Amino acid sequence: MRSTYRLPLAVLGGAALLATALALKPSNSTPGAPPPAQAAPAATDPGPLVPYLRFTGTGTVTVRPDTAQIFVSTVAAATTSKAALAAVSRKMTKVQDRLAALGVPRTAMTTNGASTYQDYDSKRWRAELSLTVQVDDVDRAGRLLAEANGAGADSVGGPSFSIDDTRAAYAAALRQAIEDARAKAGAAAAQMGVTVGGIVSVDDQAGGVQPPMFAAQRASADSAGGAVAVPVEPGTQDVVATVTVVFGYR
């Protein structure tokens, strides 16, 4: 008797479902079948650009310095470092006392340094003291130089002029700088046939006060023993502002 092998019903059912799925799956080669989905191309249009004009402007305000610095030093020599330092200290004390008597506050006097060294040839010790004096009244700088020298200073220098508060001057220079940039933008806009609009941004560049003039002179005493004021002129200094301004236009 011939035996017959029969597949389980579960296997037959699964095969039928697989065949049905393969029959329904679209084929790329099938005519009329929709193409597979593709990624959208990257956008190359930057879109509308905001029109603007970008120019640099400079403003300058000239002011008269209102403060000054003078520089004083004393030197002395002795057989020992201790003796040389003591001698130079006594000389500087006389100078400081004289300046204080003339109304210079002690807080306006700054010691820059003290040093001693032995001279190689003479074997004697030399000492030096240096002092910076802040002068709030520039018109007194010349007299203070002479008075310090007359009181025993071995050398004097200055004055070095400066401006104590530059905020007001810099604000005025800043306004000039922005107007300068606006004038340049207006000239460019006229050539373009457009009108300058509002300010988009302001970039403050490095500016400030121009370096002060420095004049070093040695004061002298007259035959009567009185100090002759050193003739000094503070001149003027420029406070400068530089900006880069971005304007809109229409």
Side-chain angles (χ1 to χ4, degrees):
M1 180 177 180
R2 185 171 54 182
S3 60
T4 303
Y5 178 76
R6 297 181 180 180
L7 293 173
L9 292 178
V11 174
L12 292 175
L17 291 175
L18 179 59
T20 302
L22 291 174
L24 294 176
K25 181 179 178 181
S27 173
N28 292 337
S29 60
T30 304
Q38 297 180 356
T44 57
D45 184 6
L49 297 177
V50 178
Y52 68 87
L53 298 167
R54 183 174 182 267
F55 283 93
T56 297
T58 303
T60 303
V61 174
T62 302
V63 296
R64 185 177 188 269
D66 54 10
T67 59
Q69 285 184 331
I70 63 174
F71 309 95
V72 180
S73 64
T74 55
V75 295
T79 55
T80 65
S81 175
K82 180 179 179 180
L85 186 60
V88 81
S89 297
R90 286 191 294 267
K91 294 176 70 174
M92 181 59 79
T93 298
K94 290 181 180 180
V95 174
Q96 291 175 313
D97 290 344
R98 180 56 182 161
L99 293 176
L102 293 172
V104 178
R106 295 281 180 175
T107 54
M109 306 180 196
T110 303
T111 300
N112 295 329
S115 63
T116 64
Y117 66 95
Q118 189 175 30
D119 184 72
Y120 179 80
D121 294 327
S122 65
K123 304 302 181 184
R124 289 174 59 84
W125 283 86
R126 299 185 181 276
E128 181 175 355
L129 275 175
S130 58
L131 183 75
T132 298
V133 182
Q134 187 77 17
V135 183
D136 292 333
D137 184 359
V138 295
D139 294 329
R140 300 185 65 210
R143 183 189 176 190
L144 293 177
L145 276 171
E147 292 286 351
N149 189 78
D154 292 288
S155 65
V156 294
S160 176
F161 297 108
S162 61
I163 303 169
D164 182 54
D165 188 356
T166 62
R167 288 176 294 182
Y170 188 76
L174 191 62
R175 288 191 292 270
Q176 288 186 15
I178 294 176
E179 288 304 316
D180 182 42
R182 184 183 293 277
K184 295 175 182 177
Q191 295 297 317
M192 298 167 59
V194 298
T195 302
V196 178
I199 294 177
V200 177
S201 67
V202 177
D203 183 15
D204 184 13
Q205 308 295 320
V209 183
Q210 296 294 334
M213 296 298 296
F214 178 81
Q217 299 186 29
R218 183 177 177 85
S220 61
D222 61 15
S223 58
V228 178
V230 177
V232 296
E233 293 295 339
T236 59
Q237 294 183 12
D238 291 336
V239 179
V240 182
T242 303
V243 296
T244 299
V245 187
V246 177
F247 301 92
Y249 70 85
R250 56 187 180 274

